[in-house]
Each structure stands twice: as structure tokens, then as C-alpha cells.
């Protein structure tokens, strides 16, 4: 393994007792090369007692500058969908599969680049550590990158979205994720709604999938 893909393992404190401990250590991570060009690490946010964890892809341009996940256009759309699905917002912890923004500079613009498998794998120890502390009841997987991180490379969001999936059956990497009795609902990424030709239909699909997560919470 070379220096740029060694992974986050050595940067995640093994004695972390809280999300604050993790958040404090994350800015030092050099587990892959993405820390070099990004402005800052973007760690998860939300209540430590949240019953739902939503996992996105990586911070976008706005998140990279503000240091918080889901505070740009996709985040605003997600918040609207959460409200329309009647999910209790105070029960949601938001995070990303990859915690630094990957982009290409083109002139004055920073163009989003999808993280590669090496970045997803390198960054997984942070996600594992968040899950170990949060022990969510419901995990919402937002799009293909989060699905790759949590459910393995063969999971297809389009085929399995909007259904409650028991964690052990859906997670190929369950041994690495000490989440306890969680259920998973996969859906499309809010950015995919923003890019869709038929935004209204795509949005309604997102809300329908999130409603399934809400029903799981309500029991
Ligand atoms: N998209 C994501 O996946 N995460 C963010 O934090 C913002 C946009
Ligand atoms: Fe570390 Fe993840 Fe950032 Fe890579 S993307 S440097 S593994 S926090």
C-alpha cells in the first residue's frame, strides 16, 4: 500500500467515547490523497441519540467550504424530502461515505468527481466508528457510493430501493459494522433528483422511499 491509500485506520482514535472525539481527530486524517486539495474534512452531524443515520456520498462544493454535510443544494432538497416524508428531523444523523470533497479544478470552478473505490475503502473506518457509537435503528443509504461503502459492490439501488432490508442480509460487510439490529432503506441520492429530467417524479420517489424509513421508526 502506498502512502496515499493507506486508509483512515491509523487516524481513527481507538478510544473514542463520543462523536465529538471522532470529530476532533478527523481533521488530521491523511488516509487517502483527498485531504490535500479539499478545504477541510466534513464530518457527520446530528444528535448522538439519533435513531436514523443517513449516508451520502461525499461533501460537495458548499459543504467543503462550510465544513458541514448536506448544507448545499442537495442538502436543501433532502431536508424538504425528509419533511414531506414526515421523518423526525431531530432523529437523523447525516454523514458521508467519504469525508473530503473530490473535485477537478476547471478554470474558476470545482467540478465534483465521484469517489473511487480506493477512497470509499480508505474512508470506511470513520463510518464504522460513527456507526459503532450511534448504533442506528434505521440506516438510509443515499445513492450508489453509500451503497458501495455499506452494502458492497454488487448492491443495486435501482433494484432494491424503498424496501426495508434487514441489515445482516443486505450487508456483505456486516462483520465490520457493529451496528446492532439496524434495518436499511436504500434510495437515490438527492443530487440525482436535481439532475433528473423529470425532477418531480424523481422527488416523489425519494419521498416515498424515505416514508418507508419513517414507518420503520414508527414501528
Ligand atoms: N452530497 C452528499 O452526498 N453529501 C453532502 O454532504 C452533500 C452533497
Ligand atoms: Fe481521510 Fe477519508 Fe479524507 Fe481520505 S477522504 S483523507 S480517508 S477523511
Amino acid at each position: 500500500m502506498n502512502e496515499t491509500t493507506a486508509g483512515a485506520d491509523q487516524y481513527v482514535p481507538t478510544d473514542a467515547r463520543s462523536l465529538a472525539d471522532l470529530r476532533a481527530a478527523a481533521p488530521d486524517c491523511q488516509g487517502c490523497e483527498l485531504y490535500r486539495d479539499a478545504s477541510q474534512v466534513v464530518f457527520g452531524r446530528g444528535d448522538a441519540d439519533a435513531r436514523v443515520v443517513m449516508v451520502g456520498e461525499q461533501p460537495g462544493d458548499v459543504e467543503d467550504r462550510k465544513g458541514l454535510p448536506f448544507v448545499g443544494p442537495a442538502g436543501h432538497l433532502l431536508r424538504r424530502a425528509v419533511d414531506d416524508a414526515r421523518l423526525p428531523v431531530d432523529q437523523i444523523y447525516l454523514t458521508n461515505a467519504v469525508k473530503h470533497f473530490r473535485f477537478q479544478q476547471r478554470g474558476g470552478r470545482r467540478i465534483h468527481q465521484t469517489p473511487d473505490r480506493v477512497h470509499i475503502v480508505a474512508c470506511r473506518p470513520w463510518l464504522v466508528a460513527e456507526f459503532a457509537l450511534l448504533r442506528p435503528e434505521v440506516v438510509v443509504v443515499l445513492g450508489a457510493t453509500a451503497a458501495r461503502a455499506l452494502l458492497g459492490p454488487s448492491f443495486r439501488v435501482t433494484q432494491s430501493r424503498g424496501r426495508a432490508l434487514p441489515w445482516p442480509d443486505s450487508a456483505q460487510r456486516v462483520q465490520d459494522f457493529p451496528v446492532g439490529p439496524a434495518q436499511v432503506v436504500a434510495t437515490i441520492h438527492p443530487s440525482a433528483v436535481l439532475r433528473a429530467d423529470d425532477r418531480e417524479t424523481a422527488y416523489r420517489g425519494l419521498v416515498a422511499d424515505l416514508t418507508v424509513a419513517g414507518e420503520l421508526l414508527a414501528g
Side-chain angles (χ1 to χ4, degrees):
M1 257 195 235
N2 66 37
E3 173 255 334
T4 55
T5 55
D9 255 330
Q10 61 179 300
Y11 302 99
V12 178
T14 49
D15 58 350
R17 277 173 310 179
S18 67
L19 292 166
D21 289 347
L22 293 181
R23 193 174 288 112
D28 293 333
C29 188
Q30 302 186 357
C32 71
E33 83 282 7
L34 296 185
Y35 75 91
R36 287 202 189 120
D37 294 335
S39 317
Q40 58 189 318
V41 73
V42 177
F43 207 71
R45 70 175 159 116
D47 200 277
D49 294 324
R51 296 165 66 200
V52 185
V53 172
M54 292 191 176
V55 183
E57 180 189 75
Q58 65 172 354
D61 180 75
V62 179
E63 288 80 10
D64 173 79
R65 285 186 274 113
K66 295 195 173 168
L68 291 167
F70 289 105
V71 290
H76 291 139
L77 185 133
L78 179 62
R79 174 59 203 264
R80 187 155 65 86
V82 160
D83 289 343
D84 285 345
R86 304 198 184 288
L87 265 169
V89 76
D90 59 337
Q91 290 294 341
I92 299 171
Y93 179 91
L94 291 168
T95 192
N96 285 300
V98 172
K99 287 172 171 58
H100 276 105
F101 179 36
R102 186 178 192 219
F103 62 94
Q104 245 178 3
Q105 192 76 47
R106 289 219 200 110
R109 292 189 59 204
R110 304 194 300 172
I111 312 294
H112 164 276
Q113 271 199 300
T114 304
D116 287 338
R117 174 122 200 106
V118 287
H119 307 118
I120 296 170
V121 171
C123 214
R124 272 176 97 247
W126 289 114
L127 200 55
V128 172
E130 286 173 295
F131 272 60
L133 288 167
L134 286 154
R135 299 198 168 258
E137 290 169 48
V138 179
V139 178
V140 176
V141 172
L142 298 169
T145 297
R148 267 178 220 124
L150 290 162
L151 307 170
S154 57
F155 186 87
R156 294 285 168 270
V157 171
T158 46
Q159 279 169 25
S160 302
R161 63 182 290 190
R163 277 190 277 137
L165 307 165
W167 180 261
D169 294 348
S170 54
Q172 299 179 346
R173 317 290 295 255
V174 67
Q175 68 279 8
D176 303 341
F177 268 100
V179 288
Q183 291 195 287
V184 182
V185 178
T187 187
I188 55 169
H189 194 283
S191 300
V193 175
L194 293 172
R195 284 193 309 266
D197 293 330
D198 182 352
R199 265 201 205 192
E200 201 41 53
T201 301
Y203 179 75
R204 277 200 300 271
L206 174 63
V207 171
D209 295 347
L210 295 180
T211 302
V212 173
E215 285 163 1
L216 286 178
L217 260 200

